[in-house]
Amino acid sequence: MSEIVTRQLISSGAPWEALVGYSRAVRVGNVVEVAGTTAQDGDTVTGGADVYLQTRRVLEKIGEALAAAGASFQDVVRTRMFVTDISRWEAVGRAHGEVFSEIRPVTTMVEVRALIDPRLLVEIEATAIMADSAATA
């Protein structure tokens, strides 16, 4: 007998979600995928030109998306970080480490030419896999 797996879409309420056709996060079974997340809050980029502060805001938003899906940072197994200036990797890494130093998901950090808004310096994606008991909640 096959088990029915539900698909939960988590929205941030951003106007681009419907336009582009994406969700902030999607949960299927015990897996949660969080879309590329930036420090853009409406017309404001939280943290301004400070990549560390932008990264902190990005991680806060990822935490909110995980919570909406019933997951937490403890469930994260992979992150992907996209930065516009790899020479500033230590500031991004420091903010990431403040959240994940004990959890230690696998991660990738790569430099990209640009993000969707030139004020954005970092974008992060996350994958979480919840324990089986949390997945049935």
Side-chain angles (χ1 to χ4, degrees):
M1 177 181 252
S2 66
E3 181 179 322
I4 296 175
V5 179
T6 60
R7 178 183 178 98
Q8 177 187 3
L9 305 179
I10 292 92
S11 173
S12 68
W16 309 286
E17 289 178 2
L19 178 69
V20 177
Y22 77 97
S23 296
R24 164 62 42 226
V26 175
R27 175 180 171 179
V28 177
N30 67 334
V31 177
V32 179
E33 290 284 354
V34 181
T37 304
T38 67
Q40 188 146 12
D41 292 303
D43 291 333
T44 302
V45 173
T46 301
D50 186 322
V51 72
Y52 169 79
L53 293 176
Q54 280 196 29
T55 304
R56 296 239 352 212
R57 178 61 182 137
V58 168
L59 292 166
E60 287 173 10
K61 290 170 68 173
I62 288 172
E64 292 165 3
L66 290 167
S72 73
F73 285 124
Q74 293 292 326
D75 300 307
V76 173
V77 297
R78 176 179 252 311
T79 60
R80 295 162 202 86
M81 298 179 275
F82 305 94
V83 297
T84 58
D85 181 355
I86 199 71
S87 72
R88 298 168 77 182
W89 71 269
E90 288 180 89
V92 175
R94 180 167 45 103
H96 187 274
E98 288 170 1
V99 172
F100 292 112
S101 64
E102 298 298 318
I103 302 162
R104 299 187 60 179
V106 296
T107 193
T108 301
M109 184 187 302
V110 296
E111 182 179 62
V112 296
R113 187 171 65 84
L115 296 171
I116 199 160
D117 181 317
R119 299 173 297 168
L120 297 171
L121 306 173
V122 60
E123 183 167 332
I124 301 175
E125 300 175 347
T127 301
I129 302 175
M130 299 182 298
D132 287 338
S133 60
T136 58

